[in-house]
Amino acid sequence: MSSPASEQPSRGFRHASVLLDGAVETLIHDPSGRYLDGTFGRGGHSRAILERLSPQGRLLAIDRDPQAIQEAAAIEDARFAFERGDFARLGDFAQAHDLHGKLDGILLDVGVSSPQLDDPERGFSFLRDGPLDMRMDPEHGESAAAWIARAGEDEIVRVLKTYGEERFARRLARAIVARRGERAFTRTADLAEVIKAAHPAWEKGKHPATRAFQALRIQVNGELEQLDLALGAALEALAPGGHLVVISFHSLEDRRVKRFIRDHVRGDTHLPRGIPLRDDQIQRRLEALGKARRPSREEIEDNPRARSAVMRAARKRY
């Protein structure tokens, strides 16, 4: 599993950074280089990066979660800087630190962290009752409860089907709309019970609310849109030769990352065959760094939430 530096307490909730060693080893190709951790979380990857950097190295980290900000404040290292915000804005933050186009590596660990899931007050989990919030940044944006209160049935169906890949999206949406007509949803356990009662086919080993809660979380936080923006910003913020490392945790994220890397490895595929062009004219801006990597059996045994993780990496050509 990850090194002790990756396991930091956050209000009593344990967090172990997934694919820590592989991600950091792939990211750092120059110990004196300049790097960006776009998803600080509880600091596991950032601390491991700092351990591998020389005195001349630099690390800029980003996160929008208030608890992540508290964790980052505990790092006393002249090589480290932190910015609060969405990782979609990493280009702006890189500009502010005179790092745009100069970064030797960018790491994006996409998705929700274990402390966020385990803390019932954050409202991410259907297993622990808490306020129905689900925001990565509780101080900004619309909570899950507020969105459910105003969304039409068709919109709820779209979110459950698109972001949760839920087969019974229409049935669940009808149940949600019918219940909210009697009483507003304010607690996670209440919503989970309504979904559980309405779901006609439970997957083995999965709570029937799993897909619906994932879909609502993605909707509330704009996660897929944020990821698309972050990938594009990362390509521009990297220096030639810089490494992009992305860890995703479900197929919706991984498909986007895979497509992004593939498209920039292939370049412009619309040009007629046989035309002699340079790479910069074809716009092959990335080269893949090996195949997709998944956690080891030992890591999954130690941290079952790591089982769905996928790491992809690429190098910027120019």
Side-chain angles (χ1 to χ4, degrees):
M1 190 51 198
S2 53
S3 64
S6 72
E7 299 179 5
Q8 299 297 325
S10 179
R11 294 178 59 184
F13 302 105
R14 178 182 180 272
H15 176 63
S17 297
V18 175
L19 288 164
L20 182 138
D21 292 331
V24 174
E25 288 169 5
T26 304
L27 179 74
I28 298 178
H29 54 100
D30 177 5
S32 63
R34 294 159 290 190
Y35 297 88
L36 185 147
D37 181 356
T39 44
F40 179 83
R42 298 304 177 262
H45 286 118
S46 281
R47 290 182 175 88
I49 291 169
L50 289 169
E51 287 176 1
R52 289 164 172 80
L53 291 184
S54 73
Q56 291 74 40
R58 291 179 62 188
L59 174 63
L60 171 63
I62 301 167
D63 209 296
R64 54 178 162 172
D65 186 288
Q67 293 170 25
I69 296 165
Q70 294 178 14
E71 295 280 356
I75 297 180
E76 297 180 359
D77 192 316
R79 301 169 299 168
F80 178 76
F82 181 85
E83 291 281 358
R84 177 177 182 172
D86 303 330
F87 67 177
R89 297 176 55 206
L90 68 85
D92 295 333
F93 294 133
Q95 287 274 17
H97 289 262
D98 192 28
L99 295 173
H100 197 266
K102 303 175 183 178
L103 287 165
D104 294 292
I106 295 175
L107 172 63
L108 303 176
D109 184 1
V110 187
V112 65
S113 69
S114 289
Q116 289 171 327
L117 287 171
D118 293 337
D119 185 353
E121 293 304 308
R122 301 302 301 273
F124 286 103
S125 177
F126 45 80
L127 298 176
R128 298 171 177 83
D129 186 35
L132 187 57
D133 195 312
M134 297 193 188
R135 289 173 292 176
M136 299 287 190
D137 182 351
E139 298 176 14
H140 296 91
E142 184 177 41
S143 69
W147 185 82
I148 289 173
R150 69 164 180 82
E153 182 178 312
D154 288 344
E155 178 69 359
I156 297 173
V157 171
R158 182 191 68 80
V159 167
L160 296 182
K161 187 176 293 185
T162 304
Y163 298 153
E165 299 178 297
E166 174 56 69
R167 291 169 54 205
F168 302 99
R170 178 66 64 181
R171 184 188 290 245
L172 300 187
R174 285 174 179 165
I176 290 169
V177 171
R179 220 312 298 278
R180 80 180 181 192
E182 302 170 4
R183 188 172 74 256
F185 288 101
T186 60
R187 308 289 296 182
T188 55
D190 188 15
L191 177 61
E193 283 301 312
V194 170
I195 292 172
K196 182 178 177 181
H199 208 295
W202 297 10
E203 295 179 63
K204 185 177 180 180
K206 273 191 176 182
H207 190 287
T210 300
R211 293 180 179 274
F213 268 62
Q214 172 185 294
L216 290 171
R217 191 200 80 218
I218 292 173
Q219 166 66 27
V220 165
N221 294 290
E223 291 179 32
L224 298 183
E225 295 84 357
Q226 292 282 325
L227 176 58
D228 288 340
L229 291 170
L231 291 171
L235 183 58
E236 300 306 322
L238 283 169
H243 291 190
L244 173 64
V245 180
V246 186
I247 302 171
S248 56
F249 287 84
H250 58 73
S251 59
L252 295 176
E253 296 168 342
D254 183 52
R255 283 199 293 266
R256 275 173 154 76
V257 176
K258 182 179 179 180
R259 183 172 62 244
F260 179 85
I261 293 176
R262 179 200 65 200
D263 289 349
H264 286 286
V265 167
R266 291 179 178 176
D268 191 340
T269 57
H270 301 293
L271 293 171
R273 290 185 179 181
I275 297 178
L277 295 171
R278 301 188 308 272
D279 277 343
D280 61 330
Q281 292 174 308
I282 303 173
Q283 296 185 335
R284 292 180 180 143
R285 301 192 66 191
L286 291 175
E287 60 177 308
L289 292 173
K291 297 181 180 180
R293 182 168 175 175
R294 299 178 183 274
S296 66
R297 180 183 301 176
E298 291 76 17
E299 182 169 2
I300 294 172
E301 289 176 354
D302 187 49
N303 178 15
R305 285 176 178 158
R307 65 184 179 276
S308 60
V310 181
M311 186 186 85
R312 298 184 186 274
R315 179 188 292 113
K316 183 175 176 177
R317 296 169 66 97
Y318 66 91

